[in-house]
């Protein structure tokens, strides 16, 4: 098996987890299967860089002195703000030569500045997706997924999604069992598909300001199989259905029905991933009532049926 070189670009203000998360994944794969990855870090001048959290990282060398890698990884961080002509020029020249070009978080902004995302789908941290789309209209920005793979170019969202993407690349290179072994060692799950939203249902919605609405949000999360009609929820909040629906959307940013849909989908996914319960049992426990209703919800939101979702994303039992 040919050894794959991985080069991580360092710069002032880089996010340390954007670097160390993927590096730990590839290093774990190298320890599991020696000779599979050679990992190097480099900065423009080979000088140490200070991360956004204050840590200092010492690169292995200068960017101009390293050979073109198999996988070129560009992390994000506060250092991606502003203009970076030297780094942009280097990426524009060397990025297309890599077999895989990967960004974590706002590293996508650097790739976009180098023109390497033009005409491609890409994602970044949700807080900067609007900026990426506004500054680079040739990029098809999708703020929802935790990572997107478009040909040789892969982009990921917030810091921990860089680990998810790195695990997906290791799975592609070395197989699922190796990736699962690394995931268990890092105490993370090899389960999150790239199209999983950056937010859980609770994080996707804003927290309501008024206590009765906050209590309803929590109650929905804890009772996905209950009667969650607007009328029932309005009665719990001691509001009229019309007033409740209007207030809920105003304070959370989504309709009650949309919030319920997200909670139920998230609950069902968790049961599929973490339990051996049957599809019918899970559909009832998640508030769908029938397996067919749950299947339609999964296909609509995730593009896959519940049974296939479980087959692909439930972690294998540890031995």
């Amino acid at each position: 098996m040919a050894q794959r070189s991985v080069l991580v670009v360092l710069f002032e203000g880089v996010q340390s987890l954007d670097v160390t998360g993927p590096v730990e994944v590839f290093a774990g794969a190298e320890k599991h299967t020696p000779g599979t990855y050679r990992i190097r870090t480099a900065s423009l001048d080979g000088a140490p860089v200070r991360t956004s959290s204050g840590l200092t990282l010492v690169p292995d060398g200068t960017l101009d002195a390293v050979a073109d890698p198999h996988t070129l990884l560009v992390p994000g961080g506060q250092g991606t703000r502003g203009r970076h002509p030297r780094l942009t020029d280097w990426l524009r020249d060397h990025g297309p030569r890599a077999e895989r070009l990967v960004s974590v978080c706002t590293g996508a902004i650097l790739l976009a500045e180098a023109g390497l995302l033009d005409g491609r789908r890409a994602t970044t941290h949700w807080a900067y997706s609007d900026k990426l789309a506004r500054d680079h209209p040739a990029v098809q920005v999708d703020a929802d997924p935790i990572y997107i793979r478009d040909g040789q170019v892969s982009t990921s969202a917030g810091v921990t999604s860089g680990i998810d993407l790195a695990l997906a690349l290791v799975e592609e290179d070395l197989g699922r069992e190796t990736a699962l072994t690394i995931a268990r060692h890092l105490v993370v799950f090899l389960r999150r598909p790239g199209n999983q939203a950056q937010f859980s249902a609770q994080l996707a919605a804003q927290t309501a300001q008024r206590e009765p609405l906050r209590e309803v949000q929590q109650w929905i999360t804890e009772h996905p199989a209950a009667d969650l009609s607007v009328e029932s929820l309005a009665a719990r909040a001691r509001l009229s259905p019309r007033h409740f629906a209007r207030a809920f959307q105003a304070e959370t940013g989504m309709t009650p029905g949309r919030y319920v849909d997200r909670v139920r989908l998230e609950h069902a996914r968790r049961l599929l991933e973490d339990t051996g319960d049957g599809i019918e049992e899970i559909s009832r426990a998640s508030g769908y009532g029938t397996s067919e209703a749950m299947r339609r919800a999964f296909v609509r939101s995730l593009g896959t049926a519940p049974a296939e979702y479980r087959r692909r994303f439930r972690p294998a039992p540890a031995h």
Side-chain angles (χ1 to χ4, degrees):
M1 183 179 296
Q3 187 179 58
R4 296 171 173 85
S5 57
V6 178
L7 175 63
V8 183
V9 176
L10 300 184
F11 48 86
E12 284 292 317
V14 69
Q15 162 66 252
S16 57
L17 279 176
D18 287 4
V19 176
T20 59
V23 164
E24 288 291 344
V25 171
F26 290 117
E30 169 62 22
K31 291 176 182 177
H32 181 273
T33 310
T36 52
Y37 293 106
R38 181 172 183 264
I39 307 160
R40 290 181 62 81
T41 59
S43 63
L44 280 170
D45 300 315
V49 301
R50 190 172 178 83
T51 70
S52 57
S53 61
L55 296 174
T56 297
L57 300 179
V58 181
D60 295 314
T62 65
L63 286 173
D64 286 333
V66 296
D68 292 327
H70 175 276
T71 299
L72 176 60
L73 191 147
V74 182
Q78 293 177 3
T80 62
R81 323 296 194 261
R83 308 303 298 177
H84 312 81
R86 288 182 61 204
L87 183 55
T88 298
D89 288 346
W90 188 91
L91 289 171
R92 185 181 296 114
D93 185 31
H94 292 267
R97 303 180 191 177
E99 292 191 37
R100 288 194 304 221
L101 185 58
V102 178
S103 71
V104 182
C105 198
T106 53
I109 293 176
L110 296 178
L111 295 187
E113 289 176 352
L116 299 172
L117 297 183
D118 288 356
R120 295 185 183 273
R121 286 184 67 235
T123 193
T124 188
H125 191 287
W126 62 269
Y128 297 94
S129 59
D130 287 345
K131 172 180 172 55
L132 180 61
R134 182 176 61 253
D135 294 348
H136 303 280
V139 182
Q140 302 169 33
V141 180
D142 188 343
D144 198 37
I146 59 173
Y147 63 81
I148 291 175
R149 302 188 64 186
D150 186 339
Q152 72 166 138
V153 180
S154 300
T155 54
S156 59
V159 287
T160 58
S161 63
I163 295 176
D164 294 294
L165 177 53
L167 285 168
L169 297 176
V170 168
E171 181 175 3
E172 177 184 279
D173 294 341
L174 305 178
R176 182 174 177 80
E177 288 305 314
T178 298
L180 280 168
T181 299
I182 298 163
R184 286 196 292 266
H185 180 73
L186 296 176
V187 198
V188 296
F189 290 113
L190 182 69
R191 64 164 64 169
R192 298 207 294 173
N195 64 354
Q196 179 165 323
Q198 294 191 33
F199 295 126
S200 68
Q202 291 88 339
L203 290 178
Q206 303 167 38
T207 301
Q209 296 178 4
R210 283 179 277 183
E211 186 174 350
L213 296 180
R214 289 200 303 271
E215 291 177 352
V216 167
Q217 282 183 286
Q218 185 62 32
W219 196 84
I220 291 170
T221 302
E222 295 173 353
H223 303 86
D227 176 7
L228 301 181
S229 63
V230 169
E231 291 75 16
S232 175
L233 296 175
R236 182 167 292 277
R238 300 179 183 84
L239 298 171
S240 71
R242 184 176 180 181
H243 186 191
F244 169 78
R246 187 165 55 241
F248 190 97
Q249 181 164 7
E251 294 196 18
T252 68
M254 66 175 63
T255 65
R258 178 63 174 152
Y259 186 77
V260 168
D261 287 344
R262 288 201 175 200
V263 166
R264 284 176 168 163
L265 185 69
E266 186 174 313
H267 187 263
R269 287 167 68 164
R270 190 160 55 246
L271 292 179
L272 287 168
E273 294 165 357
D274 296 341
T275 77
D277 296 347
I279 300 297
E280 286 284 353
E281 184 179 357
I282 290 174
S283 66
R284 291 192 299 270
S286 302
Y288 290 109
T290 67
S291 58
E292 176 58 24
M294 186 168 77
R295 188 193 70 80
R296 289 197 300 269
F298 267 66
V299 171
R300 181 173 61 251
S301 298
L302 305 176
T304 188
E308 175 63 13
Y309 179 90
R310 166 175 273 172
R311 186 187 71 78
R312 291 173 61 192
F313 302 121
R314 184 183 181 194
H319 297 293

